[in-house]
Amino acid sequence: MLSREAKALCEKLGLGARELYFRGRCGVLGECAADVVTSVAVFFPPAHVEESWNGGRKLPAEEAVELYAGVCHAWGRRKLGEHDGCARIAELLERVVARAPSPGAPLFAGWRAVPLPDDPPARAAQLMHVVRELRGGLHANAVIAAGMSPLEAMLARAHDGSPFGHVTGETMARFFQWPEPYPEPTPELVARRAAVEDATDELLAPVFSVLNEDESDELIELLRFGQGH
């Protein structure tokens, strides 16, 4: 999403970074109203989604998906090309993706339908993106079910034990283009946000039951390679 490959493509096409991001990532929904995109890009302000989605309309949605997938493949080849385990990562994740339920995760469903490349680094990278879309959809559902607004969830995230907790909520909100000033999250919101993270994990865990315990451990070890990349 923020790779040198994505930036180079933006420059080549004359698109803003977020225009490519929304058209490419959410283009699996097809040509639709910005409000439809807002419904799945839950954590972005509606006005920013509308501006970015409509601003990139010179790039047709179907083409944008192909180009965005190409960026993912190029990133995978550059970052994972030296990882001998890519073929096995792809093999295991493909089984997970094929069996995962799609309700509540429309971007996951859309990206699952995008053809996979043949070479292992690119294939593994796209499948990791697809799984990320699944978790993202389930996480958004958990936030909404907890009665939190997207901004509240974002501001409270730095105070819990969730991944990337070292990044402040204010920094994330600013990056996502939420207008300032930002309210200080209450202890009650912080607790609810921590519960949301647990709920997301609980929703996602059964998806990996298609793998046995040895395969799950193997996948975890193979994916550790990416932590330094």
Side-chain angles (χ1 to χ4, degrees):
M1 295 176 179
L2 301 174
S3 67
R4 66 182 67 168
E5 289 84 2
K7 292 176 182 177
L9 184 58
C10 287
E11 292 177 2
K12 178 181 178 180
L13 299 175
L15 291 174
R18 291 287 172 80
E19 291 175 343
L20 175 65
Y21 170 77
F22 283 109
R23 296 294 291 178
R25 179 190 170 204
C26 302
V28 292
L29 300 173
E31 294 293 351
C32 58
D35 189 47
V36 178
V37 181
T38 299
S39 73
V40 296
V42 174
F43 296 99
F44 289 90
H48 180 59
V49 175
E50 181 177 9
E51 178 184 10
S52 302
W53 176 256
N54 291 336
R57 280 193 182 275
K58 69 178 182 179
L59 183 63
E62 185 174 355
E63 181 181 352
V65 171
E66 293 179 3
L67 291 170
Y68 198 71
V71 164
C72 177
H73 303 159
W75 177 91
R77 291 166 186 140
R78 175 168 62 87
K79 287 287 190 176
L80 305 176
E82 298 179 0
H83 187 13
D84 294 335
C86 282
R88 183 58 171 162
I89 290 174
E91 179 184 356
L92 293 172
L93 285 184
E94 194 165 1
R95 287 167 54 194
V96 172
V97 165
R99 294 284 297 276
S102 61
L107 288 180
F108 161 73
W111 274 99
R112 178 164 62 179
V114 174
L116 293 166
D118 293 328
D119 59 300
R123 194 178 188 90
Q126 183 170 327
L127 284 163
M128 286 190 282
H129 168 70
V130 176
V131 174
R132 193 205 70 82
E133 291 294 6
L134 176 58
R135 190 186 191 281
L138 296 177
H139 181 62
N141 290 332
V143 167
I144 294 168
M148 301 183 76
S149 73
L151 179 57
E152 286 174 335
M154 193 171 296
L155 292 173
R157 72 191 295 276
H159 301 267
D160 62 28
S162 61
F164 312 110
H166 61 282
V167 179
T168 69
E170 291 83 359
T171 298
M172 289 299 297
R174 197 170 295 115
F175 177 76
F176 276 68
Q177 301 293 308
W178 287 97
E180 299 184 59
Y182 304 129
E184 182 70 19
T186 65
E188 187 269 340
L189 277 177
V190 171
R192 284 164 66 190
R193 176 62 177 79
V196 162
E197 199 68 31
D198 291 339
T200 302
D201 290 343
E202 290 174 4
L203 288 170
L204 187 63
V207 172
F208 288 88
S209 64
V210 66
L211 305 179
N212 62 39
E213 186 173 346
D214 289 341
E215 290 169 331
S216 295
D217 290 343
E218 181 185 7
L219 178 60
I220 290 169
E221 287 304 313
L222 289 169
L223 289 173
R224 290 189 191 281
F225 174 89
Q227 290 181 349
H229 292 71

